[in-house]
């Protein structure tokens, strides 16, 4: 299997697992004692990356996801962007990451937060979801070219040739 494809599939699988754990956490709360232990562990782990405020979280079966709605939107949209990436850009050809795309991805979220903090506008559930999803969807198009470009460089670097002649090594 092509190394770039393998790296891409690992990133896609890790992202799918991450999103799956977001869904599993609230579903496990209704399970038995052992399921509840796993649910508690997931909520504790995700608490390290998100504030988990109930009022700012999406709910599944009446139980909040272990991250807020903006983080949920970022993660699920990142998965979607990663899934669609090969339809937009070939995995075998490295491309430079676009700084402009990074700025485009961050700008709506920064405006939303700044407007909310300054009192210019309210930060709503919709604004959290939309700006988080926009950021999450665009980030794979910034990150994956960097990662796949590194894989391409690593794959195409020539290995040193060792010549043995009278005890000397030439690299």
């Amino acid at each position: 299997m092509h190394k770039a494809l393998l790296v891409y599939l690992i990133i896609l699988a890790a992202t799918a697992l991450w999103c799956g754990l977001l869904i599993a956490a609230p579903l496990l709360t209704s399970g038995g004692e052992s399921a509840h232990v796993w649910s508690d562990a997931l909520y504790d782990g995700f608490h390290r990356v998100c504030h988990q405020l109930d009022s700012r979280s999406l709910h599944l079966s009446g139980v909040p996801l272990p991250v807020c709605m903006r983080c949920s939107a970022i993660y699920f949209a990142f998965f979607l962007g990663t899934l669609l990436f090969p339809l937009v850009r070939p995995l075998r050809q490295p491309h430079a990451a676009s700084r402009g795309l990074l700025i485009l991805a961050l700008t709506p979220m920064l405006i939303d937060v700044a407007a909310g903090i300054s009192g210019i506008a309210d930060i709503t559930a919709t604004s959290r979801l939309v700006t988080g999803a926009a950021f999450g969807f665009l980030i794979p198009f910034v990150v994956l070219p960097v990662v796949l470009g590194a894989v391409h460089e690593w794959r195409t670097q020539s290995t040193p040739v060792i010549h043995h002649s009278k005890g000397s090594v030439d690299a």
Side-chain angles (χ1 to χ4, degrees), residues 43 50-59 62-65 67-69:
Y43 278 95
C50 183
H51 54 73
Q52 297 180 331
L53 295 176
D54 186 271
S55 63
R56 293 186 187 176
S57 297
L58 297 172
H59 290 70
V63 181
L65 293 181
V67 295
C68 70
M69 60 184 70

Side-chain angles (χ1 to χ4, degrees), residues 3-74:
K3 285 183 178 122
L5 177 61
L6 180 61
V7 169
Y8 166 77
L9 290 174
I10 290 169
I11 292 169
L12 183 64
T15 305
L17 175 63
W18 185 268
C19 291
L21 293 173
L22 290 175
I23 294 169
L27 295 177
L28 288 169
T29 61
S30 62
E33 183 63 32
S34 64
H36 203 37
V37 169
W38 284 103
S39 177
D40 288 347
L42 288 172
Y43 278 95
D44 183 53
F46 282 111
H47 182 67
R48 299 175 195 285
V49 297
C50 183
H51 54 73
Q52 297 180 331
L53 295 176
D54 186 271
S55 63
R56 293 186 187 176
S57 297
L58 297 172
H59 290 70
L60 185 62
S61 300
V63 181
L65 293 181
V67 295
C68 70
M69 60 184 70
R70 189 184 315 267
C71 288
S72 295
I74 290 169

Side-chain angles (χ1 to χ4, degrees), residues 2 18 30 140 154-155:
H2 191 273
W18 185 268
S30 62
W154 172 66
R155 186 176 57 97

Side-chain angles (χ1 to χ4, degrees), residues 11-154:
I11 292 169
L12 183 64
T15 305
L17 175 63
W18 185 268
C19 291
L21 293 173
L22 290 175
I23 294 169
L27 295 177
L28 288 169
T29 61
S30 62
E33 183 63 32
S34 64
H36 203 37
V37 169
W38 284 103
S39 177
D40 288 347
L42 288 172
Y43 278 95
D44 183 53
F46 282 111
H47 182 67
R48 299 175 195 285
V49 297
C50 183
H51 54 73
Q52 297 180 331
L53 295 176
D54 186 271
S55 63
R56 293 186 187 176
S57 297
L58 297 172
H59 290 70
L60 185 62
S61 300
V63 181
L65 293 181
V67 295
C68 70
M69 60 184 70
R70 189 184 315 267
C71 288
S72 295
I74 290 169
Y75 298 141
F76 287 110
F78 185 92
F79 173 71
L80 181 61
T82 302
L83 187 63
L84 296 177
F85 181 85
L87 300 175
V88 177
R89 290 205 141 157
L91 297 176
R92 292 179 182 222
Q93 296 174 352
H95 297 277
S98 168
R99 289 185 185 144
L101 189 58
L102 178 60
I103 292 167
L104 178 66
L106 277 170
T107 300
M109 199 164 42
L110 292 175
I111 291 170
D112 185 45
V113 172
I117 290 172
S118 67
I120 295 172
D122 290 334
I123 300 174
T124 65
T126 302
S127 71
R128 286 182 178 103
L129 288 170
V130 169
T131 60
F135 176 74
F137 184 79
L138 291 174
I139 287 304
F141 295 92
V142 174
V143 172
L144 289 175
V146 172
V147 173
L148 296 174
V151 168
H152 179 75
E153 288 233 357
W154 172 66

